[in-house]
């Protein structure tokens, strides 16, 4: 009995030693596997590999692509590193060229910065563009059907369900002035609606951050503010002068004077003539601010942020007139005589 008990005790001891040895082997194997997993596939003879990460790829999908291209040793460890670096869901789609001499951290860093995405198209809409100019530029870049784009933007109410700020637009208004001028990235083949909404989204951000609170002290509706900002955009060339130009128009409105903006007449004419004739100034249009007092019915172009800010915060000045100096700047005056003198001076 005593001998049997001794044997059992000895067997338990052997089992414990065996288990400890097994645990040690597992730990050693785990460390070795981890070390191999985070290391490069081929440090001695690295090979460049070009591949694509499609849009919407999960970390698991990315690990499959990397493994199939011979760039990682372990999908499990790759996914662990991605999560450790808080980059899960943040690896970017695109075209990549990496090499098998890179370790996992280097690969993850490259994928988090982004590769070349051949499915993405970039376009720029300059400040002061009208809807028809936006449509033409996008059409020339092969991004939209010009006629369909124009038809979609003719009625702002089509997009009012998605954009509350458009509910403030007068009935029958177009999206003139609301497609924010900027540089955009869109997927190749994006529809006209997607492109329009991308630009409206940017205007919506400007509305939240700049317009919504600032408009309260102007006494203007959103449509009037954007209309004023669009005139400032078209009349101004130097950012520093935009608050002065806005002030001139505010002052003229307060005194019951017509705005007399050449830019609004050009909009009514449908062309941007370098010099307007007296007959041009007589055109019958609600947008002719030489004939009609106050702001026009709506915006005449897409204003940039500086012009919107100027319309919200005009300069505190008494100017009623300005005339171009021919170099992008203007001479501002408070009375008609000084305005004529400045005009004559600049014509010589």
């Amino acid at each position: 009995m005593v001998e049997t008990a001794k044997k059992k005790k000895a067997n338990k001891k052997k089992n414990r030693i065996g288990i400890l040895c097994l645990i040690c082997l597992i730990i050693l194997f785990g460390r070795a596997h981890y070390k191999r997993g985070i290391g490069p596939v081929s440090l001695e003879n690295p090979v460049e590999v070009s591949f694509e990460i499609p849009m919407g790829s999960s970390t698991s999908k990315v690990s499959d692509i990397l493994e199939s291209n011979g760039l990682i040793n372990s999908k499990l460890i790759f996914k662990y590193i991605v999560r450790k670096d808080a980059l899960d869901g943040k690896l970017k789609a695109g075209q990549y060229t990496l090499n098998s001499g890179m370790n996992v951290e280097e690969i993850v860093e490259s994928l988090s910065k982004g590769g070349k995405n051949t499915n993405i198209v970039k376009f720029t809409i300059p400040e002061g563009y009208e809807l028809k100019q936006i449509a033409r530029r996008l059409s020339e870049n092969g991004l939209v059907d010009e006629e369909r784009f124009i038809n979609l933007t003719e009625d702002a109410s089509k997009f009012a369900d998605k954009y509350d700020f458009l509910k403030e637009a007068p009935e029958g208004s177009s999206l003139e002035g609301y497609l924010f001028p900027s540089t955009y990235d869109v997927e190749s083949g994006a529809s006209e609606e997607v492109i329009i909404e991308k630009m409206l989204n940017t205007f919506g951000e400007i509305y939240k951050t700049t317009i919504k609170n600032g408009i309260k002290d102007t006494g203007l509706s959103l449509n009037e503010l954007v209309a004023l900002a669009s005139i400032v955009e078209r009349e101004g060339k130097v950012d520093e002068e935009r608050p002065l130009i806005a002030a001139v128009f505010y002052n003229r409105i307060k005194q019951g004077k017509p705005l007399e903006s050449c830019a609004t007449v050009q909009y009514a004419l449908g062309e941007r003539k370098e010099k307007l004739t007296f007959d041009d100034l007589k055109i019958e249009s609600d947008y002719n601010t030489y004939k009609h007092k106050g702001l026009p019915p709506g915006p005449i172009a897409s204003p940039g942020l500086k012009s919107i800010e100027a319309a919200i915060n005009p300069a505190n000045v008494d100017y009623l007139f300005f005339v171009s100096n021919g170099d992008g700047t203007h001479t501002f005056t408070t009375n008609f005589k000084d305005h004529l003198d400045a005009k004559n001076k600049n014509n010589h």
Side-chain angles (χ1 to χ4, degrees):
M1 291 290 291
V2 173
E3 189 175 338
T4 303
K6 283 182 180 180
K7 282 183 180 180
K8 285 183 178 180
K9 192 173 181 181
N11 287 335
K12 282 182 180 180
K13 188 175 181 181
K14 285 180 182 178
N15 287 339
R16 280 199 297 270
I17 292 170
I19 291 169
L20 286 172
C21 288
L22 181 60
I23 291 171
C24 288
L25 283 171
I26 291 171
I27 291 171
L28 288 171
F29 174 78
R31 284 179 179 171
H33 180 69
Y34 180 78
K35 188 175 180 181
R36 178 176 175 274
I38 62 171
V41 171
S42 179
L43 188 59
E44 297 297 325
N45 298 295
V47 177
E48 281 202 344
V49 182
S50 295
F51 61 97
E52 181 183 3
I53 302 295
M55 294 284 285
S57 294
S58 64
T59 301
S60 183
K61 174 66 175 175
V62 173
S63 71
D64 289 339
I65 294 170
L66 293 174
E67 185 185 57
S68 66
N69 281 282
L71 289 168
I72 58 173
N73 292 308
S74 168
K75 292 194 293 183
L76 183 65
I77 289 173
F78 172 80
K79 288 186 277 189
Y80 167 74
I81 296 296
V82 170
R83 290 183 174 87
K84 176 181 74 70
D85 292 346
L87 292 171
D88 198 17
K90 297 178 182 178
L91 302 182
K92 297 179 180 178
Q95 293 282 348
Y96 292 87
T97 298
L98 304 180
N99 70 75
S100 57
M102 299 172 71
N103 63 39
V104 170
E105 288 283 6
E106 290 170 333
I107 291 171
V108 169
E109 184 181 1
S110 294
L111 297 179
S112 67
K113 289 179 178 177
K116 181 181 178 183
N117 195 334
T118 56
N119 294 320
I120 297 296
V121 180
K122 189 185 292 287
F123 69 89
T124 299
I125 300 302
E127 296 168 346
Y129 259 35
E130 299 171 26
L131 280 177
K132 63 181 182 180
Q133 292 175 298
I134 295 172
R136 191 177 305 122
R137 169 165 283 210
L138 292 173
S139 175
E140 288 171 351
N141 289 341
L143 293 170
V144 303
D145 177 274
E146 187 172 349
E147 186 178 348
R148 185 166 190 271
F149 186 90
I150 290 292
N151 288 338
L152 283 169
T153 56
E154 279 179 339
D155 186 1
S157 66
K158 292 177 183 176
F159 297 88
D161 286 344
K162 283 190 176 182
Y163 303 95
D164 286 343
F165 58 83
L166 290 178
K167 292 175 182 175
E168 298 182 41
E171 189 176 348
S173 294
S174 71
L175 290 177
E176 189 77 85
Y178 293 95
L179 300 187
F180 195 78
S182 186
T183 296
Y184 295 92
D185 292 330
V186 292
E187 285 191 53
S188 179
S191 68
E192 287 83 357
E193 288 91 343
V194 167
I195 291 173
I196 290 166
E197 288 178 8
K198 203 167 187 71
M199 299 176 78
L200 286 173
N201 286 340
T202 306
F203 183 92
E205 289 303 312
I206 301 298
Y207 177 77
K208 288 177 192 172
T209 59
T210 305
I211 299 174
K212 194 171 183 180
N213 291 324
I215 197 173
K216 295 174 183 177
D217 296 327
T218 66
L220 302 178
S221 67
L222 176 61
N223 184 62
E224 290 171 331
L225 180 78
V226 179
L228 176 56
S230 71
I231 298 172
V232 172
E233 184 64 59
R234 290 282 292 107
E235 294 282 4
K237 298 289 183 289
V238 179
D239 284 345
E240 291 74 19
E241 287 190 355
R242 297 188 194 280
L244 295 172
I245 293 171
V248 168
F249 292 131
Y250 271 112
N251 291 339
R252 293 184 72 86
I253 290 171
K254 286 175 186 174
Q255 294 192 20
K257 297 179 183 294
L259 298 187
E260 296 186 352
S261 163
C262 293
T264 64
V265 176
Q266 290 172 332
Y267 188 77
L269 290 170
E271 59 176 313
R272 296 185 176 184
K273 297 173 70 173
E274 190 173 335
K275 285 193 176 181
L276 296 175
T277 66
F278 285 112
D279 284 339
D280 291 335
L281 300 181
K282 294 176 184 176
I283 184 173
E284 189 50 58
S285 168
D286 291 340
Y287 284 88
N288 184 351
T289 57
Y290 277 82
K291 294 190 73 171
H292 301 280
K293 294 181 180 180
L295 290 161
I300 63 169
S302 290
L305 180 59
K306 292 293 184 181
S307 292
I308 291 172
E309 290 174 338
I312 292 173
N313 295 299
N316 184 20
V317 292
D318 297 328
Y319 297 136
L320 291 169
F321 305 90
F322 59 86
V323 63
S324 173
N325 294 325
D327 61 356
T329 64
H330 297 82
T331 297
F332 295 84
T333 52
T334 59
N335 60 76
F336 191 62
K337 179 184 178 302
D338 289 345
H339 175 62
L340 283 180
D341 288 344
K343 205 170 185 180
N344 291 330
K345 182 180 177 182
N346 286 321
N347 284 335
H348 284 85

